[in-house]
Amino acid sequence: MRTTMALRGAVAACAGGNRNSIPFSLHLLTRSSAARGHLRSSAAASSRPQTGFRFRIRAMHESAPESATATAAPDKNVKSDSDWKIKMLYDGDCPLCMREVDMLRERNKEYGTIKFVDISSDDYSPEEHQGLEYETVMGKIHAIMSDGTVVTNVEAFRKLYEAVGLGWVYAITKYEPVATIADAVYNVWAKYRLPITGRPPLEQVLEARKKRKEEVCNDNNSCKM
């Protein structure tokens, strides 16, 4: 009888605290600890109540670590680009270009249709991107469709925007004479992009890239210019 009263008193003491001030898992552990202390000092307690209470305490004790080690679930709204439909080759050293790249990358979190490739990286490999050399892709925008088709100029922008639900932005460039005019305007920008953004001529950019690659390459056979 005294053991039963002690068990009830322990449970009541734990349950009577301010539950809102402690986490639920900590509340369970507190109840488990208090009840176990009374169980050890109550050798004369009857077997049926004691067994049932121990079962409940053990269940609470074993479930606590699981809640403590739980990790945040990944954001289901951010899609992977593993199933990309178009690959964008962009110049990561171009500040104006990066504004558009960042906007498309943010939109791509919802779609996962664009794979972004920074051609300014020393790891850029033409062999992995339809044989497009660094000098070629520096001249104008290039994109590669999932079937291997290479698109350039305004068409590349149109395909990229379509991939993230913004096809209406460049929709009019599908039709003449707008298509020809749009490409002409873009070609002017592409020709003067480096000086406009405060960078040296392409020849100097290529030379600096070559020198940098030579400095970091220990094995000429593994270097990709």
Side-chain angles (χ1 to χ4, degrees):
M1 182 64 179
R2 289 182 180 178
T3 303
T4 303
M5 293 178 63
L7 290 174
R8 290 179 178 175
V11 174
C14 295
N18 185 0
R19 297 186 180 184
N20 295 326
S21 63
I22 59 175
F24 182 65
S25 59
L26 183 58
H27 177 66
L28 293 180
L29 289 174
T30 303
R31 292 183 60 186
S32 174
S33 178
R36 285 187 173 184
H38 286 289
L39 284 172
R40 292 192 188 100
S41 62
S42 303
S46 60
S47 60
R48 177 175 296 179
Q50 188 174 6
T51 302
F53 196 61
R54 278 180 176 171
F55 178 79
R56 291 195 297 272
I57 294 172
R58 182 178 180 183
M60 289 186 290
H61 178 72
E62 291 178 349
S63 64
E66 182 178 352
S67 61
T69 58
T71 56
D75 189 349
K76 295 181 179 180
N77 294 325
V78 178
K79 300 249 182 114
S80 169
D81 64 359
S82 58
D83 296 326
W84 60 273
K85 295 182 179 178
I86 184 171
K87 187 187 298 183
M88 180 183 191
L89 309 185
Y90 68 93
D91 180 8
D93 291 333
C94 174
L96 290 180
C97 305
M98 287 308 300
R99 292 184 182 181
E100 190 160 27
V101 171
D102 290 341
M103 183 276 293
L104 289 172
R105 184 179 280 123
E106 186 66 25
R107 292 279 302 185
N108 196 54
K109 290 180 180 179
E110 180 182 351
Y111 293 85
T113 50
I114 301 177
K115 183 173 183 178
F116 297 89
V117 178
D118 185 359
I119 63 173
S120 67
S121 170
D122 290 336
D123 296 328
Y124 175 75
S125 170
E127 290 79 10
E128 297 176 1
H129 305 99
Q130 299 299 99
L132 295 171
E133 297 291 340
Y134 174 76
E135 181 177 0
T136 301
V137 292
M138 278 291 288
K140 57 184 177 181
I141 181 70
H142 284 72
I144 305 173
M145 307 302 294
S146 58
D147 63 359
T149 302
V150 177
V151 290
T152 61
N153 298 349
V154 175
E155 182 183 7
F157 287 109
R158 186 169 65 247
K159 297 291 187 182
L160 289 164
Y161 275 63
E162 288 174 351
V164 291
L166 294 175
W168 56 271
V169 176
Y170 281 92
I172 195 173
T173 63
K174 295 179 181 179
Y175 310 103
E176 294 294 348
V178 178
T180 300
I181 296 174
D183 275 335
V185 172
Y186 171 75
N187 286 335
V188 173
W189 152 254
K191 182 177 181 179
Y192 298 102
R193 176 175 67 89
L194 293 178
I196 289 175
T197 56
R199 299 170 67 188
L202 180 59
E203 292 76 13
Q204 293 184 27
V205 173
L206 293 173
E207 185 62 29
R209 178 180 175 86
K210 182 178 180 180
K211 179 182 287 188
R212 185 172 68 251
K213 294 284 287 183
E214 289 175 347
E215 291 175 352
V216 299
C217 287
N218 294 322
D219 183 359
N220 291 332
N221 293 330
S222 65
C223 293
K224 299 172 184 178
M225 297 300 193

